[in-house]
């Protein structure tokens, strides 16, 4: 994983950035549903295009590895910096479904829950609007659980 094309960190289609650009470029073939959980989100992300359907679990594997290793991606966007800052308090499970993936993300702290929710909303916007949305900066809503 993460080695083909131009290799780790490269922009080839076999790299994690290559897969991200493939998803953004084919955003109109991606369908998504998100449900809020008390401590996170549950999402169903699918595509009728078999190539995109196969890229989705690979993208999750790339990103979960990055979160474990603290390798920030897309750090110009404050939302991604917050996701990576809370990575140790975020639990991700991925289940294959027809055409894509079912993901559950739970945060162990209010900041982690807020980051997971804001990120899931952003993934939905990127699935709707592709690259235009990925180039914007985003924030995380203030902690609603605080007294
Ligand atoms: C249309 C484009 C994209 C799709 C369909 C997509 C899909 C997903 C999905 C399904 C998840 C699991 C979390 C959830 O379901 O809410 C996820 C996580 C993640 N994605 Fe993407 N993604 C896209 C673009 C991007 C871009 C542009 C980046 C950064 C350059 C990125 C970085 C991440 C990271 C860091 C995670 C793990 C963080 C977390 O799950 O909390 N994704 N993506």
């Amino acid at each position: 994983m993460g080695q083909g094309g131009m290799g780790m960190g490269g922009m080839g289609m076999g790299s994690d950035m290559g897969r991200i650009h493939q998803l953004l470029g084919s955003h109109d073939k991606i369908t998504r549903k998100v449900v809020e959980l008390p401590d996170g989100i549950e999402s169903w992300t699918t595509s009728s295009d078999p190539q995109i359907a196969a890229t989705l679990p690979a993208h999750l594997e790339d990103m979960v590895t990055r979160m474990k290793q603290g390798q920030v991606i897309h750090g110009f966007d404050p939302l991604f910096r917050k996701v990576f800052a809370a990575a140790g308090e975020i639990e991700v499970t991925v289940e294959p479904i027809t055409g894509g993936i079912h993901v559950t993300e739970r945060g162990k702290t209010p900041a982690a829950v807020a980051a997971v929710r804001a990120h899931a909303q952003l993934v939905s916007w990127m699935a709707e609007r592709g690259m235009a949305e990925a180039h914007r900066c985003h924030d995380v809503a203030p902690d609603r659980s605080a007294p």
Side-chain angles (χ1 to χ4, degrees), residues 54-85:
T55 297
L56 285 165
H59 172 60
L60 262 287
E61 204 176 317
D62 294 338
M63 294 305 117
V64 168
T65 302
R66 274 186 172 273
M67 282 169 68
K68 278 188 191 140
Q69 297 176 349
Q71 290 176 353
V72 180
I73 191 167
H74 218 60
F76 81 87
D77 186 339
L79 169 47
F80 280 77
R81 295 201 296 275
K82 286 185 182 171
V83 166
F84 279 88

Side-chain angles (χ1 to χ4, degrees), residues 20 23-24 30 32 41 43 45 56 59-60 63 67 73-74 80 83-84 101 103 105 119-120 123 126-127 134:
I20 282 169
L23 293 175
L24 289 169
I30 296 172
R32 200 166 140 81
I41 62 101
S43 69
T45 310
L56 285 165
H59 172 60
L60 262 287
M63 294 305 117
M67 282 169 68
I73 191 167
H74 218 60
F80 280 77
V83 166
F84 279 88
I101 48 174
V103 178
E105 300 208 340
H119 179 269
V123 173
M126 290 192 294

Side-chain angles (χ1 to χ4, degrees), residues 34 53 74 90 106 131 141:
V34 180
H74 218 60
I90 297 174
R106 296 179 189 277
M131 200 60 93

